[in-house]
Amino acid sequence: MNGHVTIRLASERVNHCVASSNELPRFYTPGEVISGMQDFMRGHGTYVEDDCIKSSVAGVMQKVNKLICVRPLKSRYVGEIGDVVVGRVLEVQQKRWKIETNSRLDSILQLSSVNLPGGELRRRSAEDEQMMRKHLQEGDLISAEVQSVFSDGSLSLHTRSLKYGKLSQGVLMKVFPSLIKRRKNHFHNLPCGIAIIIGNNGFIWMSPMQRNVIIGENKDEIQNYEHQPINKSDREIMARLKNCVAALVAAKMMLDDSSIMFAYEESLRYDDVKELLDPEVMLDIAFLTQHRLNSIMEE
Amino acid sequence: MPPPDLLSSQGLRLDGRRPNELRRIRCKLGVFTQPDGSAYLEQGNTKVLAAVYGPHQAAKSKSSVEGVVVNCQYSMATFSTGERKNRPRGDRKSQEMSLHLRQALTAAIKTELYPRSQIDIYIEVLQADGGAYCASVNAATLALVDAGVPLRAYACACSASMAWRGAQPEPLLDVGHVEEAAGGVVLTVASLPSTGSIALLELSHRLHSDYFEMVLSRAMQGCKDIEIVLDKAVREHLAEGWTKQDVVTI
């Protein structure tokens, strides 16, 4: 090994904060009294004690009419119906799969809420139950949509659309769910030739864009496509994107297609992908991205 | 009765502190990226790391419908004490510490919110210079706040001891290793200072009941002081990690 290793002093650590901290909101911390009980309802992150509403997490207060909530800086993913999530299969059970989605409880994917090969209107037989493991195995990654939320907070997923389903080759990144910006669309084909799924649960999936696959082609060819090696330039772009997302996360900036794309474009001034892991470079990219986002906001 | 030389004639302690003075507390939230929450806390020379995972799906055997299962693991690094330790965790002392930590933290966490879930709290003592339990509770509280776990209030722990200044009894706050080793009584309190409730109380030796109230009130005062320090650290962390985009949703 003769690679360069840099070990820096703790005092030389880079502060990744890029946000211009001109005015800070009022923060609430656990046990702090928010207001009296009269006229208000308690929401998430609060509790009632001695006729007062108190905060139970550290974060920013949100008020909707009479409802008071406190939202923490980061927490586990709290699912809402219609969210796009990326998850990993943990277990194959009777008629359903257990999926890990960074949620408080494991999510469930029913056999009846997946599209099995061979058309939408198909009856599910006992054979299908036996073939479940062939369809999705333990450890497989899938993209899915939240269909419903059970009373205990666990999620029921579905993949009944062609855009959802098993993910084959690509890069998975895990970030805090609170950094994901809610958008109409969470599937993006970036101009650099990479398809990206920004899961609401903080799982980000990057894969090469599927170019020449025509749906309805025979199944073997699609299978083959999944196992085709990905060329080096695509891999490099994915690695670069991954490092860009890491830079944005370190600066605690919100993630959506535009911020990721801006960061990618700014990162092109550094030739070597691994340079992007340097803390100063990460800060530089985050700063330039923030600048571009600000200039767009002003327009 | 402890040896009288814990306090000098000027009323200062062996490390130069006043009887009601805490050791310097330095802390930082979010030191790791992998766990849901983490914190580092220094109390004098006692240094502790805490990591929180969860709430996540509980193992089937532990799962309870009443509330979240809190799982603690206390471990001391082999290099943390003067004499090198053989077993960092799993010995009797660590197991007892884990149970005590669980008791104090379960009192603070709003367990009823999350049925069928589990929270894992891992404590690693990097350097033990007295009051390792107190530092562990304080670090774990910070890590729980960082993880966004709902708490009733901050859980703080502090220790207190007894000394004599002339003929006057004088309780000592936040006992260090030297004072612990001198053989005096050590009272450890874990409490929720903002509500005034006590989550755990432990006395290492016998203490005359005439002095108990005095030592306890000093330890409680220490918990209140620690809460202020922790609250300040949390607010600083929030100000640093707060993203401007959040305003849009308000």
Side-chain angles (χ1 to χ4, degrees), chain B residues 114-155:
Chain B
Y114 295 140
R116 301 206 294 122
S117 304
Q118 172 182 345
I119 299 176
D120 297 322
I121 301 166
Y122 296 94
I123 304 285
E124 181 81 34
V125 177
L126 299 178
Q127 191 174 337
D129 185 44
Y133 175 78
C134 305
S136 305
V137 171
N138 300 336
T141 305
L142 288 181
L144 284 169
V145 171
D146 184 40
V149 175
L151 304 175
R152 287 192 180 82
Y154 291 105

Side-chain angles (χ1 to χ4, degrees), chain B residues 23 40-41 43-49 74-89 91 93-94 97 123-133 135-136 177 180:
Chain B
R23 290 177 286 178
Y40 170 77
L41 183 125
Q43 203 163 343
N45 280 329
T46 304
K47 293 165 188 165
V48 178
L49 275 170
Y74 173 89
S75 82
M76 291 178 92
T78 51
F79 49 81
S80 62
T81 45
E83 225 164 275
R84 202 173 165 80
K85 277 175 74 82
N86 292 325
R87 292 181 73 183
R89 63 192 76 89
D91 56 334
K93 196 184 154 209
S94 304
M97 285 291 217
I123 304 285
E124 181 81 34
V125 177
L126 299 178
Q127 191 174 337
D129 185 44
Y133 175 78
S136 305
H177 178 254
E180 247 173 38

Side-chain angles (χ1 to χ4, degrees), chain A residues 17 24-27 29-32 47 49 56-58 60 62 71 74-76 104-106 152 252 254, chain B residues 36 55-57 110 114 116-117 145-148 150-152 154 231 235 238 240-243 245-246 249:
Chain A
C17 203
L24 289 171
R26 171 89 164 85
F27 294 123
T29 54
E32 192 176 344
Y47 68 103
E49 199 177 68
S56 66
V57 295
V60 187
Q62 293 177 331
R71 211 160 48 87
K74 65 181 184 190
S75 70
R76 285 263 159 160
R104 192 167 58 72
L105 296 166
D106 293 338
D152 63 352
K252 303 216 171 64
M254 298 294 274
Chain B
D36 292 290
H56 60 84
Q57 179 97 41
K110 289 185 72 63
Y114 295 140
R116 301 206 294 122
S117 304
V145 171
D146 184 40
L151 304 175
R152 287 192 180 82
Y154 291 105
D231 193 60
R235 283 175 195 281
L238 282 174
E240 209 172 277
W242 179 73
T243 41
Q245 280 86 340
D246 289 346
T249 58

Side-chain angles (χ1 to χ4, degrees), chain B residues 140-240:
Chain B
T141 305
L142 288 181
L144 284 169
V145 171
D146 184 40
V149 175
L151 304 175
R152 287 192 180 82
Y154 291 105
C156 302
C158 193
S159 58
S161 177
M162 266 294 282
W164 295 89
R165 187 177 178 189
Q168 283 289 315
E170 180 73 60
L172 304 180
L173 189 66
D174 195 12
V175 185
H177 178 254
V178 188
E179 288 160 333
E180 247 173 38
V185 58
V186 177
L187 177 80
T188 308
V189 183
S191 72
L192 312 181
S194 59
T195 60
S197 53
I198 293 174
L200 180 126
L201 193 70
E202 195 193 17
L203 202 55
S204 68
H205 296 86
R206 284 199 298 181
L207 175 70
H208 197 284
S209 59
D210 287 356
Y211 308 128
F212 178 74
E213 280 291 328
M214 198 184 348
V215 179
L216 179 63
S217 66
R218 172 128 313 169
M220 291 295 277
Q221 184 57 44
C223 289
K224 277 189 190 123
D225 295 346
I226 289 174
E227 190 193 28
I228 294 168
V229 177
L230 299 190
D231 193 60
K232 194 166 157 250
V234 169
R235 283 175 195 281
E236 267 167 26
H237 177 72
L238 282 174
E240 209 172 277

